[in-house]
């Protein structure tokens, strides 16, 4: 199958995809024993020292991994990009407006949800998202909206005023082993439309050392991937420094 990259001029775009390390899982381990081991502030700083371009957290209402109090503590020490994900409840918005991270990624999760497993309906939620995006813009915070690989959802996200969209890559990751060209096709189509719309492009969920390189080779204009679960699992065997180096290596053009 042809992936239809056509005559796209790669020199015209930022070709370096940034790696944001999602440290939720590290906080899950910390919380399991009630103390401060592992210390997520140290882990975040070490991720940066080992080459991560950013740190991502998702403070959920039940604080099952990242706690609200972790968020300003991280902001105070991070030197790279800080990305905070979450459902834009009033509580969440007050927190991010106070902390002012580099980026806020809006996810449509219900509070009890295990993990983000679908994107926004940006058409139906257009008015709500528009108001939230205005608040973030006024505070000088870059916004990203989590969407499925769907051209219309990207168009409505741009219309609502998002600076970026983050493509939910779960379905790509699950389809990769059986037919990676078929798995990436809707992502490539949506990514091309995102580029035409003139907004930024992030991607995340279930990305791994197995499937990351193909994704960013086919869609080299991805601005940032945020990766948690697989990266932290790999670090159990390879160590954090070597694992971050391996993920960065997948992003090399
Ligand atoms: N992007 C979003 C919006 C997420 O909710 C998550 C999971 O917290 C990720 C990316 C990272 O997914 P994973 O942990 O599977 O790498």
């Amino acid at each position: 199958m042809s992936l239809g990259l056509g005559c796209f001029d790669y020199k015209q775009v930022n070709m370096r995809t940034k790696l944001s390390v999602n440290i939720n899982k590290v906080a899950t381990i910390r919380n399991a024993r009630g103390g401060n081991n592992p210390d997520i502030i140290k882990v975040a700083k070490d991720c940066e020292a080992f080459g991560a371009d950013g740190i991502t957290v998702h403070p959920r209402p039940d604080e099952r991994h990242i706690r609200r109090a972790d968020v300003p503590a991280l902001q105070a020490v991070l030197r790279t990009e800080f990305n905070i994900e979450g459902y834009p409840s009033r509580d969440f918005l007050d927190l991010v407006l106070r902390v002012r991270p580099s980026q806020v990624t809006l996810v449509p999760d219900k509070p009890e949800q295990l993990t983000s497993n679908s994107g926004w309906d940006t058409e139906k939620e257009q008015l709500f998202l528009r108001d939230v995006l205005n608040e973030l813009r006024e505070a000088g915070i870059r916004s990203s909206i989590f969407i499925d690989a769907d051209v219309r959802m990207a168009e409505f996200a741009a219309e609502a005023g998002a600076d970026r969209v983050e493509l939910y890559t779960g379905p790509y990751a699950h389809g990769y082993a059986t037919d990676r060209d078929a798995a990436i096709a809707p992502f490539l189509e949506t990514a091309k439309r995102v580029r035409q719309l003139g907004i930024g492009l992030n991607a995340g969920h279930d990305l791994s050392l197995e499937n990351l390189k193909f994704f960013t080779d086919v869609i080299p204009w991805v601005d940032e991937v945020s990766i948690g679960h697989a990266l932290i699992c790999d670090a159990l065997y390879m160590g954090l420094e070597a694992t971050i180096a391996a993920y960065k290596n997948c992003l090399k053009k």
Side-chain angles (χ1 to χ4, degrees), residues 3 8 10 17 55 58 62 64 87 97 109 116 125 141 149 163 170 174 190 197 214 217-220 226:
L3 289 167
F8 174 54
Y10 295 113
T17 302
I55 299 294
H58 188 154
D62 62 6
R64 65 179 182 260
Y87 178 82
L97 292 173
D109 296 18
S116 313
E125 305 284 359
I141 302 170
D163 297 312
H174 296 133
T190 310
L197 290 164
F214 182 68
D217 280 353
V218 173
I219 310 173
S226 71

Side-chain angles (χ1 to χ4, degrees), residues 221-242:
W221 60 97
V222 176
D223 292 295
E224 175 192 289
V225 287
S226 71
I227 307 184
H229 186 81
L231 189 152
I232 301 301
C233 292
D234 290 332
L236 290 176
Y237 287 91
M238 297 161 60
L240 197 51
E241 184 167 9

Side-chain angles (χ1 to χ4, degrees), residues 22 24 58 85 107 115-116 146 166 204-206 226-229:
N22 180 319
N24 291 346
H58 188 154
E85 305 168 350
V107 295
T115 183
S116 313
F146 194 55
E166 177 180 332
H205 224 284
D206 300 310
S226 71
I227 307 184
H229 186 81

Side-chain angles (χ1 to χ4, degrees), residues 16-21 44 47-56 78-83 102 142 223-225 244 247-248 251:
R16 183 154 122 51
T17 302
K18 290 184 170 174
L19 171 66
S20 186
V21 175
C47 287
E48 288 185 323
F50 298 151
D53 304 296
I55 299 294
T56 293
L78 292 182
R79 298 275 168 268
T80 58
E81 294 215 339
F82 189 23
N83 174 42
S102 335
R142 190 175 73 224
D223 292 295
E224 175 192 289
V225 287
I244 289 175
Y247 276 81
K248 294 267 297 191
L251 299 174

